[in-house]
């Protein structure tokens, strides 16, 4: 078993270069590939600015992405305070080699493992001592030459730049949840919306605004537009909502799954003086989405 270990939030293009190396080495050795990841995020457990942490992928999304790349096995370890106290030697010996039968471990250029926070050079020394072969990767950039990180992607999404985020992820960012009842105000002006409650509450929401999206529901894919924000024209609160108008669609999907995939931002969210003014803008937004 050739193993890579890490959180892999987003499974972005930077991760994929490492994972392609993992697959290549496993094939060369005639062995299986494995990713060992963790849940929840260490920052949630260690309370390291956890209130500001938002994720690019839920656990199920991450596992699907990893398996979609061809990884033979994905193992998830519960990240607890007790687990966080394991040293590099304990983690490599008890888990990577002991529990999972690892023969080799893939180390990225910035890997940190264990409560002793050893860097790649020290990790390699310990790994060899516990009986693991070590494969090193350098600082890997994307085909465009940029070094990609989950932090950079989060910043782009939070700013509403879903197109730049997609360029770093290697796919369009999406939200998945269940359709819940709203105030049905959109229906009165000809723009009914599906209000979503996310399955993963810590998923990062794109910045407030109107987006051109693709919508998956009832086993079909539709075009649509999604508003993320506080609905300032009709609402005085500060809670953010995710509301999607699905084009050419008029079915009852309350309580059903909905996946919204973000293509590009159309405009910022703003307050309108009347519902008629809002309706006129929504007509323009819809046209912009259809033309994009």
């Amino acid at each position: 078993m050739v193993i890579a270990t890490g959180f892999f939030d987003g499974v972005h293009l930077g991760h994929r270069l490492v994972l392609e190396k993992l697959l290549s080495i496993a094939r060369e050795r005639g062995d299986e590939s494995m990713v060992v990841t963790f849940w929840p995020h260490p920052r949630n457990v260690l309370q390291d600015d956890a209130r500001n942490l938002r994720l690019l992928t839920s656990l199920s999304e991450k596992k699907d992405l990893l398996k979609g790349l061809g990884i033979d096995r994905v193992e998830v370890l519960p990240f607890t305070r007790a687990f966080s106290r394991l040293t590099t030697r304990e983690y490599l010996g008890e888990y990577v080699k002991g529990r999972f039968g690892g023969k080799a471990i893939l180390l990225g250029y910035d890997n940190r493992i264990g409560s002793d926070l050893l860097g790649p050079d020290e990790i390699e020394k310990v790994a060899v001592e516990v009986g693991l072969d070590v494969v090193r990767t350098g600082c890997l950039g994307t085909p465009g030459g940029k070094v990609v990180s989950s932090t950079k992607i989060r910043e782009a999404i939070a700013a509403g730049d879903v197109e730049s985020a997609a360029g770093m992820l290697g796919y369009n960012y999406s939200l998945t949840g269940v359709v819940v009842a709203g105030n049905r105000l959109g229906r009165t002006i000809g723009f009914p919306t599906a209000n979503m409650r996310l399955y993963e509450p810590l998923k990062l929401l794109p910045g407030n605004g109107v987006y051109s999206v693709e919508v998956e529901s009832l086993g079909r894919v539709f075009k649509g537009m999604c508003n993320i924000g506080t609905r300032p024209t009709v609402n005085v609160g500060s809670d953010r909502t995710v509301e999607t108008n699905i084009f050419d669609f008029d079915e009852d999907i309350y309580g059903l799954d909905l996946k919204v995939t973000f293509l590009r931002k159309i405009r910022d969210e703003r307050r309108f003086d009347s519902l008629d003014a809002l309706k006129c803008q929504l007509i323009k937004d819809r046209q912009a989405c259809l033309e994009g």
Side-chain angles (χ1 to χ4, degrees), residues 43-199:
R43 281 170 58 183
N44 290 117
V45 176
L46 302 177
Q47 298 179 352
D48 179 15
D49 196 29
R51 71 176 60 191
N52 293 318
L53 175 66
R54 292 297 179 269
L55 301 174
L56 299 173
T57 41
S58 66
L59 180 58
S60 61
E61 288 170 336
K62 179 165 61 172
K63 290 168 70 174
D64 287 345
L65 286 165
L66 290 168
K67 291 176 180 178
L69 294 175
I71 303 300
D72 294 307
R73 287 179 59 188
V74 178
E75 295 288 344
V76 181
L77 291 173
F79 195 93
T80 63
R81 284 194 171 273
F83 181 82
S84 74
R85 290 192 284 269
L86 292 175
T87 64
T88 302
R89 184 179 300 275
E90 289 169 336
Y91 175 67
L92 294 178
E94 296 176 20
Y95 286 87
V96 174
K97 185 172 178 63
R99 179 183 295 191
F100 300 126
K103 298 176 183 176
I105 186 167
L106 189 72
L107 294 181
Y109 76 97
D110 62 348
N111 258 129
R112 291 288 186 273
I113 294 177
S115 59
D116 37 0
L117 295 177
L118 300 187
D121 290 340
E122 295 105 330
I123 296 170
E124 180 173 3
K125 181 180 178 182
V126 174
V128 170
E129 290 173 355
V130 301
L132 291 166
D133 296 336
V134 176
V135 179
R136 297 283 293 269
T137 66
C139 181
L140 300 174
T142 65
K146 296 182 179 179
V147 175
V148 173
S149 70
S150 299
T151 298
K152 289 181 179 179
I153 297 169
R154 291 188 193 108
E155 289 172 351
I157 293 172
D161 190 357
V162 293
E163 292 177 276
S164 291
M168 292 184 279
L169 285 167
Y171 58 89
N172 291 314
Y173 188 69
S174 64
L175 300 174
T176 304
V178 62
V179 179
V180 297
N183 60 12
R184 293 182 174 268
L185 184 61
R187 187 172 296 276
T188 67
I189 57 174
F191 286 90
T193 58
N195 295 265
M196 178 191 291
R197 184 174 68 232
L198 300 183
Y199 285 135

Side-chain angles (χ1 to χ4, degrees), residues 239-254:
D239 290 342
R240 299 177 74 202
T241 60
V242 181
E243 297 182 300
T244 305
N245 174 240
I246 309 172
F247 301 160
D248 303 316
F249 182 87
D250 188 23
E251 297 190 45
D252 184 357
I253 54 173
Y254 289 120

Side-chain angles (χ1 to χ4, degrees), residues 191 210-213 223-225 247 263-267 280-292:
F191 286 90
V210 177
Y211 295 84
S212 174
V213 298
K223 288 184 176 292
M225 59 183 179
F247 301 160
L263 305 179
R264 61 191 177 93
K265 187 175 182 180
I266 301 300
R267 64 172 174 84
C280 287
Q281 182 61 55
L282 292 176
I283 291 171
K284 295 177 183 177
D285 295 339
R286 185 179 192 277
Q287 189 61 36
C289 291
L290 291 171
E291 292 174 352

Side-chain angles (χ1 to χ4, degrees), residues 28-39:
E28 287 177 13
R29 295 170 60 104
D31 216 333
E32 287 188 304
S33 58
M34 177 189 286
V35 166
V36 179
T37 189
F38 318 106
W39 198 264

